[in-house]
Amino acid sequence: MTARRTPPPFDAELEPVLADAGIPPTLLPSHLSALRGPGFTPLLEDLLEGRPIEHEERVIAGPAGDLVVSVFRRTDHVAGGPAFFFTHVGGMIFGDRFVGVAPVVDYVVELDAVVVTVEYRLAPEHPAPAALEDSYAALVWTAEHADELGFDPSKLITIGGSAGGGLAAGITLMARDRGTPQIAGQVLMYAMLDEHNDSVSAQQIDGIGIWDRTSNDTGWNYYLGDRRGTDDITVYESAARADDLTGLPPTYVEVGSAEVFRDEDVAFASRIWASGGTAELHVWPGGYHLFELLAPDAELSRAARQARGRWVRRLLQD
């Protein structure tokens, strides 16, 4: 029998927040209806409250019907700045376009950026590649409407967290391989990249934290179905399978030391470097999955936002 791997400790400030959150570490298929219920989706009003931000909902053409996207801009927006295309948190199986977008909407105020976030289809009702193709279609729409939306198409950045981080990696690879649109950079926040779910960190985060190893199996099983673990998985669906990471835009990768996705995210950054590419990697000590969203005022969360913001500003200055 393989000995249980000892996980790294949680940050001392973050640990009590996790205990008070009341979120079970393990999510099973039987929990799906509860995950899609009230309480897991931030209110649009909270994203906008007290800030000079306007929100517009658009319905656009998707690969299998209409898609809904949200567009955030400053109320005094001046055209010509950057845009962030966001894909949301939710394990490929729950959530909506507002889950996890709060730190990205901050760039609307700070950088006069345009932020677009898409309501992609969820598994298991819509298994892969539905979420990918929806996200890519919305990314292309965003680029094609740069003038109308008011941003510089050479400053379009893909960004996503958790499952959305996996989608961001996938659609950035798709943009490279399909030749459009031009992507200035990608930001992968605690990204879900490897359907194998067999890394050391996946073995360590088992029955603890948030989105543990079993939760990850739940998400991947629903997303990939019977194809999971076979050769019939594309590099867009599970970006860790991509052997060729040349030609990617500058990439920012961040992850906690105490979460399932640590090792696959570190490996992805390492393989970008091995391919001659540009990547910046941050592993936040003691950070569990989604720590920035659950404890936004914690010192580690502030440090994570500041480091990401500095990278974005350097990217846009180049």
Side-chain angles (χ1 to χ4, degrees):
M1 177 179 291
T2 302
R4 180 181 176 89
R5 292 185 180 271
T6 302
F10 295 133
D11 175 83
E13 186 181 11
L14 293 176
E15 189 166 16
V17 177
L18 178 60
D20 292 341
I23 301 174
T26 301
L27 301 175
L28 301 169
S30 58
H31 298 144
L32 185 58
S33 60
L35 289 171
R36 293 179 173 180
F40 282 93
T41 300
L43 298 175
L44 176 61
E45 292 78 7
D46 292 338
L47 292 170
L48 303 178
E49 185 177 9
R51 301 199 289 177
I53 301 175
E54 62 182 12
H55 166 260
E56 179 184 7
E57 185 176 286
R58 296 282 193 97
V59 178
I60 68 172
D66 289 343
L67 290 175
V68 177
V69 298
S70 281
V71 180
F72 295 90
R73 288 174 288 206
R74 285 186 64 104
T75 53
D76 58 351
H77 176 62
V78 176
F84 294 83
F85 180 82
F86 176 76
T87 38
H88 71 76
V89 171
M92 306 292 188
I93 58 176
F94 70 96
D96 65 16
R97 64 193 184 279
F98 302 128
V99 179
V101 77
V104 186
V105 171
D106 288 346
Y107 296 142
V108 174
V109 176
E110 297 170 9
L111 303 174
D112 195 10
V114 176
V115 171
V116 178
T117 177
V118 60
E119 196 74 26
Y120 58 78
R121 288 171 291 166
L122 298 174
E125 295 87 349
H126 304 284
L132 266 172
E133 294 294 351
D134 287 354
S135 298
Y136 179 74
L139 174 66
V140 170
W141 176 88
T142 300
E144 290 176 345
H145 290 76
D147 288 345
E148 177 187 349
L149 297 175
F151 70 89
D152 182 342
S154 72
K155 297 179 179 179
L156 175 59
I157 297 169
T158 53
I159 182 169
S162 193
L167 290 171
I171 62 176
T172 302
L173 285 165
M174 291 168 78
R176 180 199 66 178
D177 295 345
R178 297 180 182 182
T180 189
Q182 176 184 350
I183 305 298
Q186 65 174 332
V187 179
L188 308 181
M189 305 183 291
Y190 29 89
M192 182 177 175
L193 300 176
D194 190 353
E195 48 99 10
H196 292 100
N197 194 30
D198 59 0
S199 68
V200 170
S201 59
Q203 295 172 50
Q204 288 177 312
I205 310 304
D206 189 358
I208 61 171
I210 289 180
W211 196 257
D212 73 350
R213 186 182 187 185
T214 299
S215 305
N216 206 31
D217 276 332
T218 298
W220 281 115
N221 287 339
Y222 271 151
Y223 184 55
L224 298 178
D226 293 340
R227 292 189 298 122
R228 187 182 175 198
T230 72
D231 292 335
D232 191 27
I233 303 295
T234 71
V235 299
Y236 314 120
E237 293 167 329
S238 181
R241 287 188 174 226
D243 293 326
D244 179 11
L245 295 182
T246 59
L248 290 177
T251 299
Y252 186 87
V253 180
E254 59 181 313
V255 69
S257 68
E259 64 171 302
V260 162
F261 300 131
R262 182 194 67 217
D263 293 348
E264 61 203 67
D265 288 4
V266 170
F268 195 76
S270 296
R271 285 168 48 233
I272 290 175
W273 297 322
S275 298
T278 299
E280 182 167 325
L281 170 67
H282 289 264
V283 180
W284 296 105
Y288 45 74
H289 193 51
L290 306 181
F291 73 87
E292 176 193 9
L293 301 179
L294 290 175
D297 297 324
E299 182 176 352
L300 202 69
S301 301
R302 293 197 300 269
R305 285 195 301 275
Q306 289 165 2
R308 186 191 313 130
R310 286 193 295 268
W311 182 87
V312 166
R313 287 176 173 83
R314 289 197 304 272
L315 176 71
L316 295 173
Q317 289 169 358
D318 289 345

